[in-house]
Amino acid sequence: MFRRDWTGRNPVSKCIIGSLVMGADSDPGAPSAVPWRKVLYERQPFPDNYVDRRFLEELRRNVGVRRYRYWPVVREAGLVTQQLSCVAAFLTLWWYMYQGQLYPFTLLLAGLLCALLGYGLYEALGGPRTEGRTRLADLQSAAIFLAFTFGFSPVLKTLTESVSTDTVYAMSALMLLAHLVTFPYAQPSPPGSLSLNAALFGSVCLASRLPGALHTFAMVTCALLVFALWPCLLHRLRDRAPRGFPWAAALVSLGGIGGLASQSPGGAVLLALAQLALTLLCPLLLLWLQEHKDNIHGPWDEAEIHEDLSRFLQ
Amino acid sequence: MVLKIFFPRCCNMADSGLLIGHWLPGQDSAVVLAVVHYPFIPGQVKRYLSQLQNESRVELAVLGSWSMPKEGQEGMESFLRDLSTIFPRGRWLQLSREMGKRGFTCQVVHRDGELPRGEGENCKGDNGDGGGVIFIHYDQRKSQPLFLTDKYDDGPLKLTHWQSEGREASIIVELAKQASVPLCLLLTWLLSLWTWLCSSRLLNLPPVRLVSSKLSTCVQLSYRTEHLQTVSSPKRALGHAEFMRKANIFVSFFVDVALGLLLISWLYRENRISRLANTLVPVADRVAKELQELLQWLMGAPAGFKMNRALDEVLGRFFLYHIHLWISYIHLMSPFIESLLWYMGLCACLGLTFALSVLSDIVALLTFHIYCFYVYGARLYCLKIYGLSSLWRLFRGKKWNVLRQRVDSCSYDLDQLFIGTLLFTILLFLLPTTALYYLVFTLLRLVVVLFQGLIHLSVDFINSFPLFAMGLRLCRPYRLAEGVKFRVLCEEPGKPLHLLMEINPLQYGSVLQWYRTPTYNCYPKDSWAALCKKLFVGELVYPWRQKGTKTD
């Protein structure tokens, strides 16, 4: 409470800290008959920017800094790794389709199987249901996805016909990168708008290069599974079964690397290296940097109201 | 206070006599209007003045005496002084000229036995010591009280004042004035009949009204009616502005009709109408053919652009079919075009503006297909732009908050995001195709609008140009005064200051600005930036813009 009286309520007070300290140092011979009080509502025989020697006593360092341990950080970093792997897996699938080595029916069937399994697992894990979300609503959503994708797939197929392949690749790469950058790793369910949209845009661009409308449909459905539904399941898994989560992440990562290895071993090696760096080196870097953290807090911070104000807000 | 005497320039060299004019109450200044020459009988002068005063309701008085020295007229001074006793007033001015000098002197005699303010023969103190006199010479133009009885000095008195250059034509003017009253009445009656016809219920049905408000001929007709109503009202114009408005409308109407008759005399000779009709149909055909070729070009790969093939083909076929319809319509019309043109040409006898309006309407009707294309293209493009802008917000996880008029963040459902992104992708990739069609048809439309705009501008120019005011400014600049300016005429020590008051005529620009007849504004109301913005987002620019646009 006392702090709030002194600093006022705006961040501007931070800017005048310098002059306040100067005032304290440059004016040692102030009349000391009246003790100085840190209030602005009284007229005192001191200049407005005067503070006394007790000013820096309230300085505190690294108040809210958390000390991390290595293995939990590695565990969390697994989320990033597996997302990278997801993208790699999707690209591998697309490449197979593009080469004609994977039939859309196969992919659709596999996708359906995965979706059913995933949905079963999701329900089995339990947990709070989103409000107003019944099984019927889920079914409705699924129907909408399928119907729209199926209906639009001929349009999507001809969409980028006249755009050069390089442009499409560049655009997709950019969008998938944007997906990785903006993915909300801390709170992956529901997936953030921008990341999901970027991923869908990129996958639609890629899917439109495929030879047939059914291919496009299968690819977009696959993108939906990988980028929209899988993060939901993973989040549920992390919440409800913390033990199973690292295994799932590792499995997906390995799956991504393995899939890529079947098409281009060099790319797989690169991906594996990147994942290793992300999982093992980046946490080390974080821990090392954390020790150098120097955060100061003090009376110049913005005021925080600790009282419960809910009774004023009816 | 300095006594100001306004002295007409025409009386500078007048013979000696009495000064007639009036005092401006409260301003310590006198306006001299005329000089009555010797010989006169004082009783006659008084009677004459009272008669004038009754007729003109301007207070006239004998201000003083005027002496112009001539050989054989010495010794007038005492006589003039005596005159002041015959015409009793508060102050008596005694102006006299000396031979060979430019300025003249003034003596003010007060009636109530005070000493004369001027000392001796000179009036000192023109440097503001309280009793100075300033002469302001002015050009006398049509002094109303004296001109009411302009009898060319055949009365009992001899006067010097400004003479008009002659009123020989005044008989014709008077006759015209007399004749104009029944003419005006007849015209008013005809006009009321016409307006009654126009306001009948059949012509006020919404579709008829809509069409007539878009046809420039109808708009011009309504403006001409309004103008004629103004001119033919038998009431006298009250103020200067109203009089000028009437005169301007009258003159420009006559010029317009004269130009129209000229056009008719040119058009209806040597079989020009049928030649025109014979060229019109091939021209329309040619335009349609060119459009067809343009569409074929657009349906390929125009200027190296790679457009969406499917959409391109759909749009191209749609527009081609439209042109096909148009060509058949033109061919159906072609036998009647000549007679139609013949009758329409008769419109020109109502004025050149009508002929131009009809031309504008014909152009509008003949390029209706371009207008249609423009509307389709603009609507499609507008839909795309609005869809893309709102889907782009969805793409970023934002939405437009209608209540607060700002963009808020919003968490969408999974299916909303999915469908939104799908549509966004589709719209984005189809945008170049639509935009190209829109661009081409907008350019075509702008060419037509530019042509029509030029015609409308010229019609508006004829309608609103203040011909009468311009002519007045050219021939009688003093009638349109902006103000007065003073020039020092003669400044000698010991003599009153002589100033020349000249009329500052109105600038030509201001004449245009003041006396322009207000017309319907055919100029675009948007600024260039607003127009470009509208073109960019695909709103319809001209015409058929929604009047009461829904805001918010």
Side-chain angles (χ1 to χ4, degrees):
Chain A
M1 289 301 284
F2 192 62
R3 210 169 83 195
R4 197 168 63 212
D5 287 335
W6 190 82
T7 55
R9 286 176 182 79
N10 50 5
V12 179
S13 58
K14 273 187 186 174
C15 310
I16 59 170
I17 290 297
S19 66
L20 284 172
V21 179
M22 287 297 287
D25 289 338
S26 63
D27 201 9
S32 52
V34 192
W36 175 72
R37 287 180 64 205
K38 202 165 71 172
V39 288
L40 281 178
Y41 52 79
E42 261 177 20
R43 192 166 285 285
Q44 299 181 71
F46 300 97
D48 274 353
N49 59 353
Y50 178 80
V51 284
D52 64 3
R53 301 242 169 241
R54 287 172 292 163
F55 180 66
L56 283 182
E57 283 172 12
E58 290 177 53
L59 175 76
R60 286 171 300 154
R61 290 168 181 274
N62 294 343
V63 174
V65 173
R66 293 170 60 187
R67 297 278 156 215
Y68 296 118
R69 278 175 300 146
Y70 181 65
W71 287 110
V73 177
V74 169
R75 215 179 86 112
E76 293 298 316
L79 195 60
V80 184
T81 317
Q82 70 82 30
Q83 201 59 37
L84 195 62
S85 227
C86 279
V87 173
F90 177 75
L91 287 177
T92 314
L93 282 179
W94 176 78
W95 186 250
Y96 271 112
M97 295 276 278
Y98 193 59
Q99 298 287 323
Q101 293 166 0
L102 183 65
Y103 294 107
F105 255 121
T106 327
L107 186 64
L108 277 176
L109 271 179
L112 186 67
L113 208 66
C114 284
L116 285 177
L117 271 177
Y119 190 69
L121 188 61
Y122 190 82
E123 289 295 317
L125 283 171
R129 291 190 76 85
T130 327
E131 263 178 54
R133 222 42 228 167
T134 54
R135 255 174 247 282
L136 187 67
D138 289 340
L139 197 67
Q140 205 179 352
S141 283
I144 287 176
F145 288 145
L146 291 178
F148 265 84
T149 319
F150 191 72
F152 275 123
S153 56
V155 178
L156 292 177
K157 201 207 147 266
T158 60
L159 208 55
T160 58
E161 245 175 17
S162 53
V163 183
S164 84
T165 310
D166 291 344
T167 316
V168 170
Y169 285 170
M171 206 148 44
S172 313
L174 208 68
M175 284 294 160
L176 289 176
L177 199 67
H179 162 72
L180 283 178
V181 169
T182 59
F183 190 82
Y185 294 104
Q187 186 61 256
S189 171
S193 301
L194 184 55
S195 71
L196 176 63
N197 286 330
L200 283 177
F201 189 93
S203 46
V204 166
C205 283
L206 284 180
S208 65
R209 307 305 291 191
L210 292 177
L214 196 63
H215 291 71
T216 312
F217 171 60
M219 210 63 233
V220 175
T221 319
C222 174
L224 192 70
L225 282 180
V226 173
F227 294 119
L229 300 180
W230 169 242
C232 294
L233 179 62
L234 199 68
H235 181 64
R236 175 64 62 90
L237 202 66
R238 195 169 69 158
D239 265 3
R240 308 294 298 181
R243 264 160 207 278
F245 168 70
W247 295 111
L251 203 69
V252 171
S253 304
L254 286 180
I257 293 173
L260 199 59
S262 67
Q263 280 294 325
S264 78
V269 170
L270 276 181
L271 182 69
L273 282 180
Q275 288 192 348
L276 275 179
L278 267 177
T279 339
L280 300 176
L281 288 185
C282 287
L284 266 181
L285 194 68
L286 177 71
L287 288 189
W288 178 64
L289 287 176
Q290 196 72 3
E291 284 173 9
H292 294 275
K293 194 155 183 163
D294 187 13
N295 226 347
I296 56 171
H297 295 268
W300 50 81
D301 282 351
E302 280 178 64
E304 289 169 42
I305 300 170
H306 295 297
E307 280 175 75
D308 184 19
L309 294 180
S310 58
R311 63 202 161 95
F312 296 115
L313 309 166
Q314 287 299 320
Chain B
M1 196 150 176
V2 182
L3 178 64
K4 286 158 284 208
I5 300 172
F6 289 87
F7 196 81
R9 285 177 83 187
C10 53
C11 297
N12 255 341
M13 305 299 287
D15 290 340
S16 307
L18 282 176
L19 297 172
I20 292 176
H22 63 110
W23 289 93
L24 297 179
Q27 290 187 22
D28 210 8
S29 39
V31 181
V32 176
L33 292 174
V35 177
V36 180
H37 304 305
Y38 302 123
F40 53 80
I41 304 163
Q44 265 183 350
V45 174
K46 281 184 185 170
R47 215 177 313 130
Y48 177 67
L49 281 186
S50 64
Q51 180 195 348
L52 274 184
Q53 214 162 316
N54 283 343
E55 280 171 8
S56 65
R57 299 181 188 284
V58 177
E59 202 192 329
L60 289 173
V62 177
L63 300 177
S65 64
W66 165 251
S67 69
M68 178 81 178
K70 273 188 180 174
E71 278 93 64
Q73 281 194 353
E74 278 84 33
M76 296 277 272
E77 310 301 319
S78 58
F79 170 67
L80 290 175
R81 199 156 300 171
D82 293 343
L83 272 178
S84 65
T85 53
I86 304 173
F87 300 102
R89 294 295 296 185
R91 273 183 283 186
W92 182 260
L93 306 171
Q94 250 178 296
L95 310 186
S96 56
R97 256 196 108 128
E98 288 167 39
M99 293 297 277
K101 284 198 178 177
R102 288 186 68 197
F104 37 85
T105 56
C106 166
Q107 230 178 339
V108 184
V109 181
H110 279 254
R111 177 49 37 103
D112 36 5
E114 275 180 38
L115 282 172
R117 268 157 127 193
E119 193 181 292
E121 289 208 332
N122 300 340
C123 260
K124 283 211 301 191
D126 39 340
N127 9 346
D129 64 35
V133 174
I134 293 179
F135 279 99
I136 298 159
H137 295 261
Y138 69 97
D139 273 317
Q140 202 174 36
R141 306 278 183 198
K142 198 169 184 182
S143 108
Q144 199 72 13
L146 294 168
F147 268 78
L148 275 175
T149 51
D150 194 2
K151 285 185 188 142
Y152 296 100
D153 296 347
D154 52 355
L157 298 169
K158 281 200 165 175
L159 290 168
T160 293
H161 55 73
W162 181 70
Q163 303 275 331
S164 59
E165 274 107 19
R167 289 188 126 186
E168 282 74 29
S170 59
I171 296 170
I172 300 169
V173 172
E174 286 303 314
L175 275 178
K177 271 186 190 170
Q178 295 299 319
S180 73
V181 175
L183 203 67
C184 277
L185 283 176
L186 181 70
L187 209 59
T188 315
W189 184 74
L190 283 176
L191 280 173
S192 63
L193 199 70
W194 168 247
T195 43
W196 175 79
L197 210 67
C198 284
S199 61
S200 66
R201 187 173 296 173
L202 191 68
L203 289 179
N204 270 329
L205 291 173
V208 177
R209 219 163 49 194
L210 181 74
V211 167
S212 68
S213 72
K214 299 303 167 203
L215 287 180
S216 45
T217 315
C218 294
V219 176
Q220 177 63 19
L221 202 64
S222 77
Y223 273 90
R224 269 288 174 247
T225 312
E226 202 179 289
H227 286 169
L228 280 179
Q229 266 171 348
T230 314
V231 170
S232 71
S233 77
K235 273 186 286 181
R236 243 183 107 81
L238 284 176
H240 171 73
E242 202 185 332
F243 167 73
M244 289 303 279
R245 189 176 135 74
K246 270 189 172 185
N248 278 330
I249 291 174
F250 191 69
V251 171
S252 65
F253 175 72
F254 260 92
V255 169
D256 186 21
V257 168
L259 286 175
L261 288 177
L262 260 180
L263 182 73
I264 281 194
S265 70
W266 179 80
L267 203 63
Y268 283 75
R269 239 181 282 152
E270 298 173 17
N271 213 9
R272 282 199 176 97
I273 286 279
S274 63
R275 284 208 323 243
L276 196 66
N278 287 338
T279 50
L280 208 59
V281 176
V283 162
D285 252 353
R286 180 80 191 280
V287 169
K289 278 274 180 320
E290 292 284 335
L291 274 177
Q292 254 172 349
E293 276 174 22
L294 181 72
L295 280 173
Q296 298 284 3
W297 179 69
L298 281 178
M299 281 167 74
F305 281 110
K306 287 180 182 148
M307 320 228 281
N308 190 282
R309 188 178 42 80
L311 181 68
D312 205 18
E313 233 159 66
V314 168
L315 286 177
R317 281 202 191 142
F318 175 71
F319 288 127
L320 279 181
Y321 180 65
H322 218 281
I323 289 179
H324 171 72
L325 276 185
W326 180 251
I327 290 180
S328 22
Y329 166 64
I330 290 274
H331 281 264
L332 208 68
M333 285 283 290
S334 55
F336 310 106
I337 281 187
E338 187 180 339
S339 52
L340 220 70
L341 271 183
W342 200 90
Y343 286 115
M344 276 181 180
L346 289 180
C347 270
C349 68
L350 287 173
L352 183 64
T353 49
F354 277 92
L356 287 176
S357 304
V358 166
L359 178 65
S360 161
D361 285 343
I362 288 176
V363 168
L365 285 178
L366 282 186
T367 57
F368 191 67
H369 48 333
I370 291 180
Y371 178 69
C372 284
F373 291 170
Y374 166 68
V375 172
Y376 300 148
R379 283 284 179 240
L380 209 60
Y381 179 75
C382 184
L383 198 77
K384 288 242 156 114
I385 287 285
Y386 276 102
L388 270 180
S389 69
S390 68
L391 286 175
W392 170 241
R393 283 195 286 269
L394 178 131
F395 194 86
R396 291 176 304 145
K398 304 278 168 66
K399 70 165 183 184
W400 176 250
N401 189 337
V402 186
L403 291 179
R404 303 199 173 189
Q405 294 284 308
R406 66 172 188 201
V407 175
D408 280 348
S409 61
C410 167
S411 73
Y412 289 98
D413 282 346
L414 212 57
D415 35 1
Q416 286 172 331
L417 285 179
F418 178 69
I419 292 168
T421 309
L422 217 60
L423 287 178
F424 178 77
T425 319
I426 293 171
L427 285 187
L428 190 70
F429 279 104
L430 293 187
L431 182 68
T433 314
T434 329
L436 195 67
Y437 272 86
Y438 171 66
L439 182 75
V440 169
F441 290 132
T442 306
L443 286 181
L444 278 179
R445 175 69 192 154
L446 281 183
V447 169
V448 175
V449 165
L450 205 68
F451 182 68
Q452 276 188 298
L454 280 180
I455 293 178
H456 285 182
L457 269 184
S458 48
V459 168
D460 194 60
F461 178 76
I462 297 176
N463 273 340
S464 68
F465 190 73
L467 259 176
F468 179 73
M470 275 304 190
L472 210 60
R473 170 67 183 82
L474 211 63
C475 305
R476 297 260 188 282
Y478 57 86
R479 288 288 301 275
L480 299 175
E482 196 174 34
V484 292
K485 62 182 174 207
F486 292 95
R487 202 148 56 78
V488 175
L489 208 60
C490 140
E491 188 179 16
E492 291 168 26
K495 289 262 173 93
L497 177 68
H498 286 260
L499 296 175
L500 178 66
M501 185 172 85
E502 283 174 337
I503 285 170
N504 239 355
L506 215 54
Q507 296 288 317
Y508 280 101
S510 339
V511 170
L512 259 186
Q513 198 186 336
W514 284 29
Y515 297 108
R516 220 176 142 269
T517 319
T519 51
Y520 65 99
N521 228 344
C522 67
Y523 310 110
K525 286 170 191 73
D526 310 319
S527 63
W528 285 105
L531 185 74
C532 287
K533 189 181 165 245
K534 271 190 171 175
L535 283 179
F536 183 73
V537 299
E539 275 180 52
L540 296 186
V541 278
Y542 174 86
W544 292 6
R545 190 174 33 169
Q546 239 87 44
K547 283 286 177 197
T549 42
K550 282 168 277 179
T551 48
D552 301 343

